[in-house]
Amino acid sequence: MLKGMKIKEVLALREPGQQITVNGWVRSVRDSKEILFAMLNDGSCMDSLQVVVDAANPGFKAVKQAGAGAALSVHGVLVASQGKGQALELKADAITVLGACPEDYPLQKKRHSFEFLRTIAHLRPRTNTFGAIFRVRNTAAWAIHKFFQERGFLYVHTPIISSSDAEGAGQIFQVTTLDLANPPRTPEGAIDYAQDFFGQKTGLTVSGQLEGETFAMAFGEIYTFGPTFRAENSNTARHASEFWMIEPEACFYDLDDDVKLAEDFLRFITATVLDNCGDDLKFLDERIEPGLLARLEAVRSAKFNRVTYTQAIEILEASGKTFDYKPSWGIDLQTEHERYLAEEHFKGPVFVTDYPKEIKAFYMKLNSDGKTVRAMDLLVPKVGEIIGGSQREDNLEVLEARMKELHLKPEDYSWYLDLRRYGSAPHAGFGLGFERTIMYLTGMPNIRDVVPYPRTPGSAEF
């Protein structure tokens, strides 16, 4: 039987003398003629377990030849460590080399650039940095489900293949089985999507919100957590073509309720990661973003500020700061504006509400001024916008008029409009980009480094 103790469990033990079996991968090997020290890590925690092998052990030569990166199964006795860094080490009795590693193993004991590690994304989880990132990602995902389940929200799986573009932007990845070299044509010469697999033009979803609203109208409070796709040709540190979104939708909520839910949500995720990933965050604080722990700890009791879009523009205009994009009423806030507000002006999280209707989606509820909508974005230091949401337009006539303004065909959204015909109710929701949240929690500056296998323009390896 190969299964043994997790190294995280072993390092939590306090008394030597226990016979155990551990499995893992060699991070480094240090040896002399008489004794060999192998640092073994199994991914369960940041720290490695020191395995001590004396020259008389039959496994001495095998471990030495297996090299860094090799997979081992080790049985032995825990003894008090003679060195610094950990209380116990494992004195090996029996060692099995499960998978040797040749000298050309790319992860040698030196510092590698993130750019290089992206070229070996299948191996980078074995490094300390990416081990920490993906343990944080795992804990954050668990916290998301815990938050909503404890509050009675229903988890809904919305479709990945969709016939609608929820944002109205048209930047979707098309899904088709048609022969691209010779697609069928209508008499007018257009591609005949009636002959496609689904009988109409379809693409990968940009959001589960619209479908989520249909379930909110039956269950009251729901959330989605799944992959979404955007075909924007954006080669920035904050954009990926495939990413995960969390989208709660709640009936009988107004914008104030939506803001409160978003604040509680981000605070809960942050606190859960702090409470469960202390060693990983400490490492990231030391290596990636000095001050990360203090920044996250402050969120536990931070005041989440709130301003209108109009007030935000006034703050930016009065800042005296030279921005690449000059702030003025009606523009969409850029990352530099968002980060200034969160990092320099408010020095913490801030909600910006009531945006001009021209820069927001068709489904957001129109304010009485006829110029703005009941939208909200949550801006945080280091990232900028991390949550975007709104109260939804629940008036059928207003929604139809808004769609016509944006040249959307109401017949394409007949099922969505039915929600306003049959028992319409006030409701609100938001979307949280999971990868941007992981950037916020880890201090990592590039979204490509918080995704197992990033999908960006021109890159879909692995």
Side-chain angles (χ1 to χ4, degrees):
M1 183 176 179
L2 285 176
K3 189 177 184 303
M5 288 186 70
K6 293 286 188 183
I7 287 176
K8 182 178 181 178
E9 299 168 346
V10 174
L11 295 177
L13 298 174
R14 294 290 179 263
E15 297 297 327
Q18 188 171 337
Q19 292 274 345
I20 65 167
T21 297
V22 293
N23 307 300
W25 293 269
V26 176
R27 285 288 175 86
S28 64
V29 179
R30 177 168 52 91
D31 72 279
S32 65
K33 292 182 180 179
E34 302 298 327
I35 199 163
L36 178 149
F37 301 94
M39 299 304 293
L40 201 67
N41 188 281
D42 65 358
S44 63
C45 63
M46 173 64 64
D47 293 325
S48 299
L49 175 66
Q50 181 164 276
V51 176
V52 182
V53 189
D54 61 45
N57 190 309
F60 182 91
K61 186 176 181 181
V63 173
K64 189 173 181 178
Q65 292 177 338
L72 305 181
S73 183
V74 184
H75 181 79
V77 61
L78 284 173
V79 298
S81 179
Q82 300 302 307
K84 296 180 180 180
Q86 58 188 36
L88 300 174
E89 59 191 21
L90 182 61
K91 189 176 187 305
D93 294 328
I95 301 175
T96 303
V97 177
L98 302 172
C101 210
E103 291 183 358
D104 64 353
Y105 179 54
L107 295 175
Q108 297 300 320
K109 193 178 180 181
K110 64 177 182 178
R111 201 151 192 175
H112 299 286
S113 71
F114 293 140
E115 290 79 8
F116 168 72
L117 291 173
R118 286 175 208 146
T119 69
I120 53 168
H122 58 304
L123 298 176
R124 69 177 182 172
R126 303 185 192 186
T127 65
N128 285 333
T129 299
F130 287 93
I133 289 166
F134 290 116
R135 280 188 293 269
V136 168
R137 185 178 172 115
N138 169 72
T139 299
W142 170 71
I144 287 163
H145 286 293
K146 182 174 169 60
F147 176 86
F148 287 116
Q149 291 296 322
E150 287 182 348
R151 287 157 179 78
F153 281 64
L154 183 82
Y155 180 33
V156 178
H157 298 95
T158 52
I160 290 175
I161 298 174
S162 176
S163 60
S164 69
D165 174 7
E167 299 297 322
Q171 295 171 314
I172 62 172
F173 289 102
Q174 192 171 338
V175 174
T176 182
T177 58
L178 296 177
D179 180 357
L180 297 181
N182 186 30
R185 301 282 180 177
T186 65
E188 294 75 27
I191 295 175
D192 186 3
Y193 287 105
Q195 298 186 47
D196 206 349
F197 187 90
F198 293 106
Q200 59 185 310
K201 189 175 182 179
T202 57
L204 298 178
T205 184
V206 300
S207 168
Q209 178 203 317
L210 303 191
E211 293 88 350
E213 284 188 50
T214 68
F215 271 73
M217 288 293 183
F219 294 93
E221 297 170 322
I222 66 95
Y223 71 104
T224 73
F225 187 1
T228 52
F229 308 85
R230 303 283 171 94
E232 297 172 342
N233 190 17
S234 298
N235 277 294
T236 76
R238 300 169 70 244
H239 288 89
S241 302
E242 177 184 333
F243 55 98
W244 284 61
M245 286 282 287
I246 302 94
E247 297 177 289
E249 199 71 34
C251 280
F252 316 113
Y253 276 47
D254 61 15
L255 185 62
D256 293 335
D257 298 320
D258 204 30
V259 165
K260 180 65 166 59
L261 182 68
E263 177 176 340
D264 291 346
F265 183 41
L266 184 62
R267 201 188 302 276
F268 183 87
I269 297 170
T270 304
T272 303
V273 168
L274 281 165
D275 292 341
N276 290 275
C277 299
D279 289 343
D280 295 313
L281 294 177
K282 182 180 178 183
F283 173 87
L284 294 166
D285 185 286
E286 293 169 351
R287 301 294 184 91
I288 304 300
E289 184 199 331
L292 171 67
L293 274 168
R295 175 168 64 78
L296 296 180
E297 281 288 353
V299 174
R300 289 186 193 265
S301 57
K303 176 186 177 184
F304 281 51
N305 294 280
R306 180 170 171 175
V307 293
T308 65
Y309 168 89
T310 300
Q311 291 169 328
I313 292 295
E314 291 171 353
I315 291 169
L316 293 167
E317 290 176 331
S319 68
K321 190 176 178 68
T322 301
F323 296 102
D324 291 336
Y325 294 88
K326 185 178 179 180
S328 62
W329 203 95
I331 70 159
D332 203 357
L333 295 181
Q334 302 297 311
T335 302
E336 60 178 341
H337 304 141
E338 295 168 349
R339 291 190 60 176
Y340 172 81
L341 291 167
E343 294 172 18
E344 298 185 47
H345 187 83
F346 291 103
K347 295 181 171 58
V350 54
F351 286 98
V352 179
T353 67
D354 302 292
Y355 283 78
K357 67 178 183 178
E358 286 78 13
I359 61 174
K360 288 298 181 181
F362 74 92
Y363 49 74
M364 296 186 178
K365 188 166 185 64
L366 195 65
N367 280 318
S368 58
D369 61 12
K371 298 190 303 180
T372 61
V373 290
R374 294 180 193 175
M376 65 88 169
D377 287 344
L378 175 57
L379 316 180
V380 295
K382 303 295 291 186
V383 173
E385 181 199 340
I386 198 170
I387 286 176
S390 71
Q391 184 174 341
R392 315 312 190 187
E393 183 56 71
D394 55 287
N395 182 290
L396 177 61
E397 292 181 358
V398 174
L399 183 57
E400 287 180 326
R402 182 81 179 111
M403 293 174 73
K404 290 175 182 176
E405 277 182 34
L406 296 173
H407 307 293
L408 298 174
K409 297 178 181 178
E411 58 268 27
D412 291 343
Y413 297 85
S414 60
W415 59 272
Y416 184 67
L417 294 173
D418 276 351
L419 301 180
R420 279 72 181 170
R421 293 188 180 98
Y422 308 131
S424 185
H427 59 292
F430 61 77
L432 172 73
F434 189 46
E435 281 72 22
R436 288 192 186 178
T437 305
I438 305 306
M439 292 171 67
Y440 174 70
L441 293 170
T442 62
M444 292 299 289
N446 197 310
I447 197 170
R448 294 167 177 83
D449 298 322
V450 298
V451 184
Y453 299 105
R455 299 294 184 246
T456 54
S459 178
E461 295 180 76
F462 306 100

